[in-house]
Amino acid sequence: MSEGPDNVMPENLDVEKRAALWDALSIHSTDIISLVSTNGKILWTTPSGARFFDLEDANWKMKPIYDLIHDDDIKRVKREFYSMGETMGSIVGPVTFRIKTRDGSWRYMESMACNLLDSPSVEAILSISRDVTDRQVALMELEESESRYRRLVERSPESMAVYRDQHIIYANPAGLRLLGASNVEQLSRYPIVQLVHPEDRELAREAFSPVEQGQEMNSVELRLVSLDAQLIHAEIMGIPIIYDGEPSVQLLVRDVTDHKRAKAALEYQTLHDPLTGLPNRALFMDRVAQALNRTQRIGGHLIVMLADIDRFKIVNDSLSHTVGDHILVGVAQRLRACFRPSDTVARFGGDEFVVLCEDTEDLTSLGTLGERLVSSLEEPIVVNNEPFHISLSVGIAESTGGTLRADDLVRDADTAMNRAKERGRKRYEIFDEKTGTEVAGKLQLESALRHGISHGELRAYYQPVVDARTGVVTGCEALVRWQHPEQGLIPPASFIPIAEDSGLIVQLGTWMFAEACRQAKEWEELIPEGRVFKISVNLSARQFLDMGLLATVKDILSAANLDTNRMHMVFEVTESMLMADPDEAVSILNAFRNLGISIAIDDFGTGYSSFSHLKRFPVESLKIDRSFIIGIGADNDDEAIVSAVVQLAHALNLQVIAEGVETTDQLLKLRQMSCDFIQGYYFAKPAPADELYSMIERPFEVPGLGD
Ligand code: C2E
Ligand code: CA
Ligand code: CA
């Protein structure tokens, strides 16, 4: 045995030191050290004990300690203390009990006792006690709150669970129910992420990573899949906790599936067309915007197609609107059936449908898509056993991956769709930059023309019509020109189509007719007795169908007050205008004739009228289109046609005017065919009225005349 350890043993202290140590301990100890008799009387105690038991009070001092112990605890205390038995030095405790203090309040005391009854110098029980009230209360409060909390969790209608190491270790009944489990073991079998919808797993990992490190997290919305395969929309919040002594994550799960469904239903209503169930304009535009976004980030193609039902208004107006609705639904179904589920087919409004296709391979497939749309209505749509033949005009636009906006893309498709309408409907057109700029230019030109018409920028030019036999100018055609302040004189080919599209043609035509009549009055005196001069004015289809035309013409004529023995006004109309509704045409033409206006059929040969129809129309002359005249001397077929037209016209008592005659050869051949009149650069180009004076008075020289 070494010296060191011996020195630290308590027995090694000498008596003096031991006494001093004991004194210090007993005076300063916060524990209560007492000597108690077998019947529970305090024989001696430390100052802490004197304070606790208030031993100043003599009566109190004499009370046996057992009398102060709480009834519910005394038995236990006694049992414990008696178990100490006879053996000297045996120790019991610690035992905790309630003890009454001087002021009547209860304190918790924790005591140990040592049997020193047989120790000759002590002859008592040594007890060491301490006031543990604070600790005990805290403990009880904790127990209380824990059990309260546990009850709360157990009974909560909200689902709660705890997981650790990616496995669920606890779930409250609501949580079990939500996840389709009857006990937590069923859940803890799988890693927790398996309960999350595959598409949301990445999001889940990200969201829960902080809380797994013991940090706070924001709630996250995830789709869960329960054990019984139900899809659950859940709002989930994780809180780091210590569970069973180990860091874990508590989950609060709120089932928002119903809420989501209600919201989705509402969204569906506001984003879908109630009639066809297709997405509406708002949803479509949103999808296009999103798709554009994607293509800008990750590339790929984007195609927007706009399909307009041809002449739907007529169908809708002439039949009941219910039939119209059925047709729209039918069209919607056809269109939906031609595309992949990932493509968006939407109703854009009225009779317009739009399609968005993403990631389509290349431009060659645009035509295929257009073809698919147009041919989707090959078969009639049947409503109430009645077949309706419906056709579509389709415009296609493709995103070039640039900075195109959704609006632009749809506008481009619309431009192309209008082009499809212009080109005869039931077809598709693909938008190209050129079409687009044309439209922009067209709109500018239209407003400039509108301005020009009302500001006197139109001019009337006249081209003489010459008697093929005599060279006498028997009349002229009035041809409009636009004296544009910056661009100079603009030929009608550049603005008549726009005037027709925009409806400005009605105004333009009225001005032209009035101007021609005014000019006729001026020329009137040049015309000798017995000669009739004819001024022809072109009518466009829009004017021909304009209900107000007849009245306007009548007013202008009466204002002009022409000498009808010398001056005749002629309208030039085309075959297609007459053939659109022949019966109607006959009555309009008759009305004109009654006003003293005769009719010439313009551009003859380019349309589809047959001579059998011509007989019905009160027409005075035919103007053979320039395209046939060009062929004279060059194309035998053309020559034969012109010759035949002249003969047939004469058989029907119609006069024939050849247009666009430029060469002597043409003129001679036309004379041989007995063509009545010649109009063309050979004699004169269209010119301002002044230049006509001399022509009216002096006949042209006609080669070969007098042969
Ligand atoms: P159009 O009625 O067939 O008029 C004849 C066109 O042929 C005129 O062109 C005339 O200048 C041109 N022309 C005449 N002789 C010759 C020739 O020998 N060679 C060639 N190369 N061309 C010849 P313009 O004046 O440019 O008129 C073009 C078209 O514009 C007219 O064709 C007519 O359809 C339309 N138009 C002109 N003025 C009016 C108008 O006041 N109202 C309406 N609605 N249309 C008009
Ligand atoms: Ca003409
Ligand atoms: Ca013509």
Side-chain angles (χ1 to χ4, degrees):
M1 219 186 257
S2 69
E3 232 182 298
D6 290 340
N7 285 336
V8 301
M9 299 306 285
E11 308 87 83
N12 291 353
L13 286 176
D14 61 27
V15 176
E16 214 173 311
K17 268 194 181 158
R18 250 197 256 184
L21 180 63
W22 174 252
D23 279 352
L25 261 177
S26 61
I27 290 165
H28 299 296
S29 174
T30 50
D31 284 358
I32 299 162
I33 303 167
S34 316
L35 293 175
V36 185
S37 69
T38 39
N39 57 11
K41 289 239 175 69
I42 294 172
L43 306 173
W44 174 88
T45 186
T46 51
S48 54
R51 271 196 305 280
F52 185 87
F53 295 114
D54 200 5
L55 297 179
E56 308 287 77
D57 188 325
N59 292 329
W60 193 256
K61 184 173 165 179
M62 293 319 292
K63 284 211 167 173
I65 202 149
Y66 293 137
D67 289 359
L68 299 175
I69 293 178
H70 197 284
D71 284 349
D72 293 350
D73 296 341
I74 188 67
K75 260 200 198 143
R76 194 160 43 85
V77 173
K78 281 189 171 162
R79 199 188 321 121
E80 190 81 19
F81 276 53
Y82 293 157
S83 74
M84 184 159 58
E86 305 290 289
T87 327
M88 156 83 173
S90 69
I91 295 171
V92 295
V95 58
T96 306
F97 52 89
R98 279 161 287 181
I99 191 162
K100 200 186 233 161
T101 59
R102 197 48 197 93
D103 62 10
S105 66
W106 294 97
R107 305 292 294 173
Y108 282 91
M109 183 81 100
E110 186 184 77
S111 290
M112 291 174 63
C114 176
N115 183 352
L116 295 179
L117 289 168
D118 293 335
S119 164
S121 47
V122 181
E123 289 180 336
I125 294 165
L126 171 70
S127 85
I128 304 169
S129 307
R130 108 179 9 157
D131 183 347
V132 293
T133 310
D134 291 348
R135 189 194 75 189
Q136 201 64 19
V137 166
L139 208 68
M140 278 165 39
E141 272 174 2
L142 190 67
E143 263 172 19
E144 163 70 16
S145 84
E146 262 181 7
S147 83
R148 209 184 312 137
Y149 181 69
R150 195 166 284 272
R151 278 200 309 276
L152 200 71
V153 168
E154 287 287 316
R155 290 182 199 170
S156 169
E158 298 287 317
S159 303
M160 295 183 204
V162 176
Y163 78 92
R164 182 193 304 146
D165 299 335
Q166 303 304 321
H167 287 266
I168 288 185
I169 49 179
Y170 168 77
N172 71 353
L176 291 173
R177 228 176 301 125
L178 181 73
L179 296 171
S182 42
N183 54 52
V184 74
E185 286 71 32
Q186 292 177 335
L187 292 174
S188 53
R189 239 175 263 157
Y190 315 100
I192 188 165
V193 73
Q194 299 235 350
L195 292 165
V196 180
H197 189 285
E199 283 170 21
D200 289 354
R201 284 182 189 167
E202 197 48 50
L203 173 65
R205 281 195 199 95
E206 257 171 52
F208 285 94
S209 133
V211 79
E212 285 165 7
Q213 328 281 301
Q215 287 154 9
E216 297 289 312
M217 69 167 278
N218 295 323
S219 71
V220 60
E221 231 180 84
L222 295 173
R223 283 166 298 171
L224 304 179
V225 182
S226 68
L227 296 187
D228 47 357
Q230 297 296 312
L231 183 72
I232 305 153
H233 289 273
E235 200 179 284
I236 307 178
M237 168 83 172
I239 304 163
I241 56 159
I242 302 293
Y243 188 86
D244 283 346
E246 284 190 57
S248 312
V249 176
Q250 166 150 27
L251 296 174
L252 306 175
V253 184
R254 169 174 300 175
D255 181 357
V256 292
T257 312
D258 289 346
H259 175 70
K260 259 253 140 66
R261 289 222 178 96
K263 209 171 129 199
L266 196 71
E267 264 170 20
Y268 188 89
Q269 277 168 23
T270 54
L271 294 175
H272 287 76
D273 166 44
L275 178 64
T276 61
L278 292 179
N280 63 13
R281 176 190 287 254
L283 181 55
F284 183 80
M285 294 310 285
D286 189 55
R287 295 241 174 110
V288 175
Q290 280 178 16
L292 276 170
N293 229 315
R294 267 196 297 280
T295 54
Q296 263 154 32
R297 273 185 296 120
I298 57 177
H301 283 265
L302 197 62
I303 292 159
V304 166
M305 287 174 280
L306 197 144
D308 189 285
I309 301 179
D310 295 328
R311 301 193 174 90
F312 183 71
K313 205 176 145 11
I314 299 171
V315 175
N316 210 30
D317 290 350
S318 55
L319 301 162
S320 80
H321 281 239
T322 351
V323 174
D325 283 356
H326 277 98
I327 289 174
L328 285 172
V329 171
V331 171
Q333 284 166 351
R334 292 278 174 87
L335 298 191
R336 187 57 270 181
C338 328
F339 294 94
R340 300 171 300 180
S342 56
D343 299 329
T344 302
V345 176
R347 184 174 173 205
F348 212 49
D351 58 343
E352 277 185 342
F353 293 85
V354 272
V355 183
L356 168 68
C357 296
E358 267 183 88
D359 295 319
T360 314
E361 291 71 43
D362 54 6
L363 202 99
T364 52
S365 69
L366 289 188
T368 324
L369 290 171
E371 196 56 55
R372 203 188 293 167
L373 265 177
V374 172
S375 60
S376 70
L377 291 173
E378 207 86 289
E379 295 290 311
I381 286 179
V382 179
V383 179
N384 301 333
N385 294 321
E386 201 186 331
F388 289 92
H389 292 272
I390 303 292
S391 70
L392 295 177
S393 293
V394 177
I396 305 177
E398 190 191 26
S399 88
T400 46
T403 51
L404 217 57
R405 292 177 312 123
D407 284 348
D408 297 337
L409 203 52
V410 171
R411 187 206 55 213
D412 290 352
D414 188 58
T415 304
M417 186 276 287
N418 280 314
R419 170 60 52 108
K421 292 253 184 221
E422 278 167 21
R423 294 194 174 162
R425 303 186 171 90
K426 197 180 181 180
R427 55 183 291 137
Y428 67 87
E429 290 292 331
I430 297 168
F431 176 82
D432 65 305
E433 292 302 330
K434 214 178 107 246
T435 327
T437 39
E438 258 175 35
V439 166
K442 222 166 148 180
L443 288 175
Q444 276 173 20
L445 203 63
E446 184 191 315
S447 73
L449 179 61
R450 190 182 302 276
H451 179 269
I453 293 174
S454 53
H455 287 75
E457 290 172 14
L458 295 184
R459 301 282 178 273
Y461 271 45
Y462 299 92
Q463 187 179 30
V465 173
V466 181
D467 187 313
R469 285 170 294 125
T470 62
V472 170
V473 175
T474 56
C476 64
E477 178 177 1
L479 294 158
V480 72
R481 298 289 180 269
W482 178 13
Q483 184 66 51
H484 192 283
E486 286 135 33
Q487 295 173 28
L489 203 64
I490 301 179
S494 309
F495 63 90
I496 290 289
I498 289 162
E500 279 173 339
D501 272 4
S502 59
L504 285 171
I505 193 72
V506 174
Q507 242 178 297
L508 184 151
T510 304
W511 177 86
M512 194 65 193
F513 182 66
E515 176 60 21
C517 288
R518 194 194 59 74
Q519 191 60 57
K521 191 74 200 168
E522 248 185 65
W523 283 332
E524 209 173 69
E525 58 195 33
L526 299 179
I527 311 299
E529 273 293 334
R531 196 173 134 194
V532 177
F533 195 82
K534 293 181 176 171
I535 301 182
S536 65
V537 171
N538 293 283
L539 267 197
S540 85
R542 270 295 259 277
Q543 282 175 279
F544 196 63
L545 298 171
D546 183 38
M547 306 302 263
L549 178 66
L550 200 65
T552 311
V553 165
K554 206 171 168 180
D555 288 351
I556 292 170
L557 273 181
S558 65
N561 190 27
L562 296 176
D563 175 357
T564 49
N565 290 323
R566 296 177 188 177
M567 278 293 171
H568 267 192
M569 298 306 289
V570 181
F571 276 146
E572 294 189 8
V573 300
T574 61
E575 297 161 82
S576 54
M577 281 158 60
L578 302 180
M579 295 312 293
D581 187 345
D583 292 335
E584 173 88 7
V586 169
S587 66
I588 293 174
L589 296 187
N590 277 327
F592 285 145
R593 201 171 55 176
N594 294 340
L595 290 176
I597 294 174
S598 44
I599 304 296
I601 295 186
D602 205 356
D603 306 339
F604 191 81
T606 58
Y608 304 99
S609 63
S610 64
F611 277 94
S612 63
H613 273 106
L614 273 186
K615 262 198 309 202
R616 302 177 52 198
F617 299 122
V619 170
E620 186 188 56
S621 55
L622 297 185
K623 298 185 81 170
I624 302 178
D625 193 65
R626 191 168 78 90
S627 57
F628 297 102
I629 307 302
I630 291 170
I632 291 177
D635 185 319
N636 279 330
D637 282 350
D638 280 353
E639 220 171 290
I641 290 170
V642 174
S643 171
V645 166
V646 175
Q647 286 173 44
L648 284 163
H650 285 166
L652 289 169
N653 263 329
L654 301 175
Q655 296 177 334
V656 181
I657 302 159
E659 275 193 305
V661 178
E662 295 185 359
T663 66
T664 320
D665 190 36
Q666 288 167 347
L667 178 66
L668 289 174
K669 289 238 165 76
L670 285 163
R671 269 176 46 82
Q672 276 168 22
M673 293 174 195
S674 313
C675 178
D676 304 290
F677 301 100
I678 305 292
Q679 181 183 349
Y681 292 175
Y682 179 83
F683 289 119
K685 288 190 172 184
D690 313 346
E691 297 183 25
L692 262 280
Y693 279 95
S694 57
M695 298 182 205
I696 293 171
E697 286 180 321
R698 193 156 36 83
F700 284 104
E701 264 183 44
V702 182
L705 207 81
D707 284 1

